[in-house]
Amino acid sequence: RMPVPILDDWESRRLRNRHKHRRNVNKYFQISFEGLKLRQDSFTDNFEHLLASCLDLSITDFFVAECISNQHPVKMLGEWLNEREHPRDNSDGIIMLKMVTKHPALRVSADGKLMSDESRATLELLPLRCFFDQSAVRYIQRFFSANTNGSDAEENDGDE
């Protein structure tokens, strides 16, 4: 007979929990961005204007798909395509952000505090269609969770 090696506590826990960290290739979620355009203009300090920077961000297409609640991919979040009710201009993105940052007129307030720059942002979203399955949301939440010793994501996808 061969002697059975004695495992330390850490290695025995690792071997017991090994099955919990295997990747299930049939369950996934996908975040997709297409046509990302970013323009950032920064300006030097000038007495003629208070402008610090301008940011223009546009994303042509964006969606979140999952293959957790069904065997086939399901779009959880994406553009609502309806040219009759919601026509789309070719230059529009599904997500558009414009932000302007200005320096304060007075850098130091009357009570001696340093004043911060002021930013104003405009966020535009084209009509989106959302379909959230509870088990898919839980799966994604566990994926981004910092708790690594929690319950197994593949085994606890059912409703509680």
Side-chain angles (χ1 to χ4, degrees):
R1 268 187 177 214
M2 296 286 295
V4 177
I6 299 174
L7 299 176
D8 64 349
D9 190 41
W10 178 83
E11 189 163 348
S12 64
R13 275 184 288 161
R14 186 181 65 82
L15 290 174
R16 268 185 277 142
N17 294 327
R18 186 188 313 173
H19 76 282
K20 291 184 181 182
H21 300 290
R22 288 186 190 152
R23 181 172 175 224
N24 185 343
V25 295
N26 297 321
K27 293 185 179 187
Y28 65 87
F29 66 96
Q30 172 185 353
I31 301 172
S32 176
F33 295 95
E34 183 180 319
L36 178 71
K37 295 179 204 171
L38 176 66
R39 179 179 174 175
Q40 170 73 39
D41 296 322
S42 298
F43 303 98
T44 58
D45 289 342
N46 193 330
F47 292 108
E48 296 176 10
H49 64 79
L50 298 175
L51 200 55
S53 67
C54 293
L55 177 113
D56 193 5
L57 173 73
S58 176
I59 299 172
T60 306
D61 195 18
F62 161 76
F63 69 87
V64 178
E66 57 94 358
C67 193
I68 300 159
S69 64
N70 196 342
Q71 291 178 347
H72 306 287
V74 176
K75 201 179 265 193
M76 292 178 72
L77 179 68
E79 181 182 4
W80 179 21
L81 294 173
N82 189 331
E83 287 296 324
R84 187 173 50 81
E85 289 185 35
H86 302 285
R88 181 175 174 182
D89 188 6
N90 289 342
S91 64
D92 286 346
I94 193 168
I95 300 171
M96 294 176 289
L97 173 70
K98 296 180 192 298
M99 187 168 67
V100 177
T101 303
K102 293 183 178 182
H103 296 299
L106 299 173
R107 294 275 183 173
V108 180
S109 67
D111 59 349
K113 294 182 181 176
L114 187 62
M115 301 297 290
S116 299
D117 290 348
E118 179 181 310
S119 296
R120 293 184 184 206
T122 303
L123 177 66
E124 298 178 35
L125 299 172
L126 286 180
L128 297 173
R129 177 164 283 164
C130 301
F131 175 76
F132 297 118
D133 183 87
Q134 189 173 7
S135 61
V137 171
R138 285 185 182 141
Y139 183 91
I140 293 170
Q141 184 180 20
R142 279 192 299 273
F143 179 83
F144 288 108
S145 173
N147 184 6
T148 57
N149 60 1
S151 60
D152 188 21
E154 282 80 24
E155 292 179 15
N156 294 328
D157 281 335
D159 293 332
E160 294 178 22

